[in-house]
Amino acid sequence: MIDIDFDNLNEEAVYKAFHIDGNESEALNDSYLELFELIGRDAMLKLFKYFRGDKIDCPMRLYRAEYIADLARQTTDRRERAKIARAGGYTVKFIEGMLSKRRKENEIE
């Protein structure tokens, strides 16, 4: 028999009541199983609690282009700028284009 306290119902309590520990591959939906394997039970349950029903879009780049451009602006060496751009997932041409656009906008003001 499954013992669930409906007055204190939460994802972790249900996880324990359903005896999911060790049975994740049979119990969890594929997406949550993948998250469980990737980030662990607690983080997977936290994502479920806050984002269930939502579609989560994970952009190809972790960092904003503006932030990378600000970092690259600190050096005038094109090779260093290229390293910064590549580390952020951008091309140096794109980052320098952003910097050039900013300079033009600042000249107009």
Side-chain angles (χ1 to χ4, degrees):
M1 182 160 179
I2 297 174
D3 183 29
I4 299 175
D5 178 4
F6 285 99
D7 292 328
N8 296 309
L9 195 62
N10 63 47
E11 291 76 25
E12 193 167 333
V14 172
Y15 197 90
K16 288 178 182 176
F18 285 177
H19 306 288
I20 304 300
D21 278 325
N23 297 311
E24 286 82 8
S25 61
E26 292 86 27
L28 295 174
N29 279 316
D30 291 342
S31 297
Y32 289 109
L33 178 60
E34 193 170 342
L35 285 170
F36 169 80
E37 291 171 346
L38 186 64
I39 61 177
R41 186 192 75 154
D42 293 341
M44 181 268 305
L45 288 174
K46 187 179 277 191
L47 282 171
F48 172 76
K49 180 179 180 181
Y50 290 101
F51 295 107
R52 69 176 169 208
D54 290 345
K55 287 283 188 187
I56 298 175
D57 179 31
C58 298
M60 293 294 294
R61 294 177 183 94
L62 182 60
Y63 307 106
R64 292 178 173 268
E66 296 83 2
Y67 185 81
I68 300 301
D70 289 341
L71 291 174
R73 185 182 58 198
Q74 296 173 15
T75 182
T76 56
D77 183 11
R78 189 165 180 0
R79 289 184 182 162
E80 286 301 311
R81 281 188 175 178
K83 288 178 188 177
I84 293 168
R86 276 195 307 273
Y90 297 91
T91 64
V92 68
K93 184 176 180 179
F94 179 78
I95 295 300
E96 287 186 347
M98 285 189 69
L99 293 172
S100 175
K101 182 180 174 184
R102 282 184 181 174
R103 277 192 298 273
K104 289 176 185 175
E105 288 172 354
N106 288 338
E107 289 173 2
I108 292 172
E109 294 175 358

